[in-house]
């Protein structure tokens, strides 16, 4: 840790708007005073933007206005001036074609909201899957002091006495309906049982994984990730974070001071230990790209290997975020990594302390939830990065959510050219498929879908489910919900829609998967592969206008984080010219 706090007091960037008696300053201040802010709010104290992804159409973040009030309390207490600012909110549950297509748009909007307005620092108020990475990406590009506060997970779901997890049981129950084992009425009743309080998904899905990533990166206060949305300690966390950001601005403690290469390596190992989402791969690559850190899939392969998955949460395990919180939450996991010698203990956090200082004294209160290493869900946790002629730039699989007997397998490919082709044929009992086959879905990557939807965990054919089979190997260039499970190979790069080798697969081909050897191979010769790809033509109609055009033209591959090419990098927060 080499951070040296800046001198205080000094003139902050917000004073370019609010400080002085010139016409422009009076103009900026005067309009703000229509809200009743006293004159001393503009006296040079830190102005903190509370960037709020609250939206009634982002149900996981619908409680964030209440939390914003607690953040304000903290900012006032520490002598700052809080201003709540709504930012573009991307709901995982309902945004079409997929919230992922708008992660970069939200990041761009946040970046410009911070740069173009009188803010000295920001509290990033997030929760649902894409809101966390998009705000972190935007803040990283401005490099203004920023702290993450997540909304927290929902309480445990219970259906007829059994614990049910967001997403995870949605997939299970929908397959049970398809297999004729559950009625549609029961499914409807289960729906309400799963979502019984405000908050984000209560499994270790993408929202909980990204909350954990923010904490492991050092961008949130210790313990933030797991506190349930409705627990009073979530409000305390918000208030404490509000106090803290004011001091961060005074010290000039920036995202680039916290999100170092070591911090990303800590986060990658943490993701392995928690059995976190495959989506964390894409988001961390994208956030690193904004800070200017050279993070690649090879870092995931190197750091993610041999990390035991010790957090016994769905979808890999049996418990939910509420129990993870009661057990001690992420600090216990970070302490374990530190004890195992695989945590960079000196990594700085937004608290101003090192990550080790924050966690070294915590206690595990439930060894069924945070397991001893010898009882880990798998000793080979983490995300496995596969390579081979089918994925020269890489593909990923989450071994802790896969079926062990399928991790080494040769099978016949059953190919779907795109999601419409899959939907049209998967339920047809005449489909030539059995459980030894490998389902292949093309054209669902960043350009292909477009936006790289969470369709990689494609449901199995009903005739297979009716045999009691619940898993088959599935390969695609799509993503998968962090709440999902199965032997699912994702993010295959380059994607089919750009002429990647996935485009060359045909039904009847043999594919070999060898996860221990990190290999995925299409059993055809190099010449045959070249011949097939020479016949390939662009499969999607490119949009000609609007954001869809911008996305389609500039989105990069999943292997580098699927950011827009012109948004990578740290552009800082120059104050620029006045508007009048
Ligand atoms: Fe929003 Fe899961 S859908 S957190």
């Amino acid at each position: 840790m080499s951070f040296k706090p800046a001198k205080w007091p000094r003139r902050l960037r917000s004073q370019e708007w609010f400080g002085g008696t010139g016409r422009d300053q009076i103009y900026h201040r005067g309009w703000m005073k229509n809200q009743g802010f006293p004159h001393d709010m503009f006296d040079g104290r830190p102005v903190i933007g509370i960037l709020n992804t609250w939206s009634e159409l982002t149900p996981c973040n619908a409680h964030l206005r209440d939390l914003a009030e607690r953040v304000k309390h903290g900012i006032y207490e520490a002598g700052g001036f809080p201003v709540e600012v709504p930012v573009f909110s991307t709901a995982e549950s309902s945004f079409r074609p997929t919230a992922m297509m708008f992660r970069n748009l939200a990041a761009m909007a946040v970046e410009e909201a911070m740069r173009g307005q009188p803010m000295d620092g920001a509290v990033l108020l997030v929760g649902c899957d894409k809101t966390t990475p998009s705000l972190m990406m935007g803040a990283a590009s401005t490099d203004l002091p920023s702290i993450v506060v997540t909304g927290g997970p929902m309480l445990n779901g219970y259906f007829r006495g059994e614990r049910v997890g967001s997403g995870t049981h949605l997939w299970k129950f929908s397959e049970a309906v398809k297999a004729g084992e559950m009625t549609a009425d029961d499914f409807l009743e289960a729906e309400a049982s799963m979502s019984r309080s405000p908050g984000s998904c209560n499994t270790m899905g993408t929202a909980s994984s990204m909350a954990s990533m923010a904490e492991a990166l050092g961008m949130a206060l210790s313990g933030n990730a797991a506190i349930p949305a409705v627990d009073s300690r979530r409000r305390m966390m918000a208030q404490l974070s509000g106090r803290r950001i004011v001091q961060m601005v005074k010290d000039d403690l920036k995202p680039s001071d916290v999100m170092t290469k070591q911090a990303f390596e800590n986060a990658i190992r943490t993701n392995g230990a928690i059995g976190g989402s495959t989506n964390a791969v894409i988001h961390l690559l994208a956030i690193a790209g904004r800070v200017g850190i050279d993070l690649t899939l090879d870092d995931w392969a190197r750091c993610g290997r041999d990390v035991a998955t010790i957090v016994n949460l769905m979808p890999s395990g049996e418990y939910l975020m509420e129990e993870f919180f009661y057990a001690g939450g992420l600090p216990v996991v970070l302490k374990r990594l530190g004890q195992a010698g695989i945590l960079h203990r000196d990594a700085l956090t937004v608290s101003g302390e090192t990550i080790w200082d924050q966690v070294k004294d915590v206690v595990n209160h439930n060894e069924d939830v945070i397991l001893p290493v010898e009882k880990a869900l798998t000793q080979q946790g983490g995300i496995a990065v596969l390579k081979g002629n089918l994925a020269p730039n890489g593909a990923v699989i989450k071994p802790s959510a896969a079926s062990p007997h399928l991790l080494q397998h040769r099978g016949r490919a059953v190919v779907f050219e795109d999601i419409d082709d899959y939907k049209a044929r998967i339920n047809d009992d005449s489909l030539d498929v059995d459980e030894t086959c490998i389902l292949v879905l093309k054209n669902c990557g960043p350009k292909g879908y477009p936006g790289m939807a969470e369709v990689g965990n494609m449901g199995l054919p009903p005739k297979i489910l009716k045999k009691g089979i619940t898993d088959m190997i599935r390969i695609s260039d799509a993503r998968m919900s962090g709440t999902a499970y199965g032997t699912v190979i994702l993010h295959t790069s380059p994607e089919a829609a750009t002429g990647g080798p996935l485009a060359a697969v045909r039904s009847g081909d043999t594919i070999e998967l060898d996860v221990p050897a990190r290999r995925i191979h299409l059993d055809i010769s190099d010449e045959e592969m070249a011949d097939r790809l020479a016949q390939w033509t662009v499969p999607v109609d490119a949009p000609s206008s609007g954001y869809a055009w911008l996305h389609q033209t500039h989105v990069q591959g999943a292997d580098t984080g699927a950011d827009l090419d012109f948004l990578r990098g740290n552009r800082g927060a120059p104050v620029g010219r006045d508007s009048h």
Side-chain angles (χ1 to χ4, degrees):
M1 184 177 83
S2 57
F3 176 72
K4 295 263 181 303
K7 284 206 170 67
W8 182 259
R10 66 179 188 285
R11 185 177 168 88
L12 296 174
R13 72 189 295 276
S14 60
Q15 284 294 292
E16 297 295 321
W17 283 263
F18 295 146
T21 53
R23 187 200 64 172
D24 290 336
Q25 284 71 37
I26 288 172
Y27 181 86
H28 300 310
R29 260 194 328 257
W31 258 258
M32 289 293 284
K33 284 183 177 176
N34 79 347
Q35 298 173 79
F37 294 123
H39 187 73
D40 59 6
M41 284 294 119
F42 306 94
D43 62 1
R45 66 187 68 201
V47 178
I48 309 296
I50 303 171
L51 304 186
N52 197 345
T53 52
W54 166 85
S55 162
E56 287 183 339
L57 279 175
T58 307
C60 317
N61 297 13
H63 61 300
L64 293 186
R65 297 209 67 199
D66 170 63
L67 225 45
E69 290 303 318
R70 309 308 294 208
V71 174
K72 279 182 201 171
H73 279 296
I75 293 170
Y76 280 127
E77 283 164 358
F81 177 18
V83 282
E84 187 181 352
V85 177
V87 292
F88 185 45
S89 189
T90 47
E92 197 60 35
S93 52
S94 53
F95 231 118
R96 291 186 177 187
T98 162
M100 180 63 184
M101 183 162 148
F102 303 100
R103 182 200 66 179
N104 301 333
L105 178 63
M108 185 160 55
V110 164
E111 178 182 342
E112 301 307 335
M114 290 177 74
R115 183 179 295 118
Q117 302 192 85
M119 277 181 219
D120 303 307
V123 176
L124 313 179
L125 214 42
V126 293
C128 194
D129 299 16
K130 303 302 174 290
T131 56
T132 307
S134 60
L135 268 62
M136 290 178 75
M137 289 161 70
S141 283
T142 66
D143 210 21
L144 287 173
S146 301
I147 191 168
V148 173
V149 178
T150 53
M154 289 186 271
L155 295 175
N156 279 6
Y158 289 100
F159 175 61
R160 298 182 180 169
E162 262 188 55
R163 203 180 274 107
V164 290
S166 321
T168 303
H169 276 84
L170 180 67
W171 319 126
K172 283 202 165 102
F173 290 157
S174 70
E175 301 222 317
V177 171
K178 262 187 176 179
E181 295 161 0
M182 186 178 197
T183 68
D185 282 350
D186 287 349
F187 196 18
L188 207 59
E189 192 184 327
E191 173 190 300
S193 317
M194 262 185 271
S195 307
R196 56 181 275 260
S197 82
S200 51
C201 288
N202 55 21
T203 40
M204 187 51 83
T206 303
S208 300
S209 298
M210 288 313 298
S212 301
M213 294 299 90
E215 191 173 328
L217 280 168
M219 287 296 290
L221 291 183
S222 191
N224 171 76
I227 307 170
V230 295
D231 193 298
S232 53
R233 286 161 283 188
R234 172 62 55 194
R235 290 170 140 208
M236 279 184 220
M237 176 59 71
Q239 191 160 339
L240 293 173
S241 301
R243 289 182 192 168
R244 180 62 200 153
I245 186 66
V246 176
Q247 190 60 43
M248 285 174 65
V249 169
K250 291 179 179 174
D251 292 346
D252 199 24
L253 176 53
K254 304 179 295 300
S256 60
D257 296 315
V258 174
M259 290 195 281
T260 59
K261 182 78 182 248
Q262 284 77 13
F264 281 99
E265 291 183 352
N266 284 345
I268 291 171
R269 292 188 172 115
T270 302
N271 197 58
I274 63 177
S277 168
T278 46
N279 285 318
V281 179
I282 289 198
H283 299 322
L284 287 198
L285 292 173
I287 295 166
R290 297 299 186 99
V291 199
I293 298 287
D294 180 25
L295 192 77
T296 67
L297 274 181
D298 290 340
D299 292 306
W300 277 90
R302 177 175 56 83
C303 299
R305 202 163 188 144
D306 301 330
V307 180
T309 300
I310 55 172
V311 175
N312 187 10
L313 256 58
M314 297 179 201
S316 302
E318 51 184 311
Y319 294 101
L320 293 168
M321 287 298 286
E322 196 182 330
E323 283 126 340
F324 185 41
F325 173 58
Y326 301 145
L330 198 73
V332 176
V333 178
L334 293 169
K335 181 177 179 180
R336 286 281 188 77
L337 294 176
Q339 289 170 325
I342 52 173
L343 183 83
H344 295 290
R345 294 183 178 196
D346 282 349
L348 178 65
T349 72
V350 287
S351 70
E353 294 186 333
T354 67
I355 199 154
W356 183 246
D357 281 338
Q358 297 264 291
V359 304
K360 64 183 190 304
D361 297 323
V362 298
V363 173
N364 183 1
H365 299 294
N366 189 334
E367 294 217 331
D368 285 335
V369 177
I370 305 175
L371 304 163
V373 171
E374 55 282 7
K375 290 190 184 160
L377 294 181
T378 167
Q379 297 297 334
Q380 300 286 321
I383 306 293
V385 178
L386 310 174
K387 290 207 172 163
N389 70 347
L390 199 47
N393 294 355
V396 301
I397 182 173
K398 182 173 167 182
S400 64
S403 300
H405 72 281
L406 291 175
L407 294 178
Q408 285 177 299
H409 182 81
R410 279 172 69 83
R412 173 168 62 86
V414 176
V415 176
F416 303 97
E417 292 300 321
D418 56 31
I419 192 67
D420 295 325
D421 183 29
Y422 164 78
K423 285 182 176 169
R425 294 195 290 130
I426 193 66
N427 293 330
D428 184 346
D429 278 347
S430 67
L431 183 68
D432 182 15
V433 64
D434 64 42
E435 58 271 29
T436 65
C437 291
I438 295 178
L439 303 181
V440 177
L441 175 61
K442 302 179 184 177
N443 295 310
C444 290
K447 284 185 194 281
Y449 195 85
M452 203 179 180
E454 293 187 331
V455 294
N457 58 316
M458 53 196 124
L460 306 192
K463 68 178 180 182
I464 305 280
L465 290 167
K466 283 177 188 148
K467 287 201 247 175
I469 308 287
T470 55
D471 195 14
M472 290 172 67
I473 296 176
R474 289 154 271 179
I475 300 174
S476 73
D477 44 15
R479 295 178 305 117
M480 166 172 96
S481 165
T483 62
Y485 50 87
T487 311
V488 185
I489 292 101
L490 303 153
H491 311 182
T492 304
S493 301
E495 63 175 301
T498 59
L502 190 68
V505 188
R506 294 177 183 166
S507 285
D509 286 346
T510 299
I511 294 176
E512 185 186 339
L513 173 68
D514 187 346
V515 175
R518 302 297 192 255
R519 182 165 183 267
I520 185 163
H521 181 76
L522 178 63
D523 204 2
I524 60 173
S525 67
D526 293 349
E527 294 73 30
E528 174 69 11
M529 175 74 87
D531 274 358
R532 290 188 189 182
L533 290 178
Q535 294 164 33
W536 173 82
T537 52
V538 180
V540 278
D541 293 334
S544 59
S545 64
Y547 175 70
W549 171 84
L550 190 71
H551 176 274
Q552 192 75 3
T553 310
H554 291 282
V555 73
Q556 298 183 306
D559 56 312
T560 57
D563 201 356
L564 302 185
D565 50 13
F566 62 90
L567 289 176
R568 282 174 76 85
N570 171 339
R571 285 165 285 285
V575 168
R577 289 196 190 111
D578 206 293
S579 52
H580 302 95

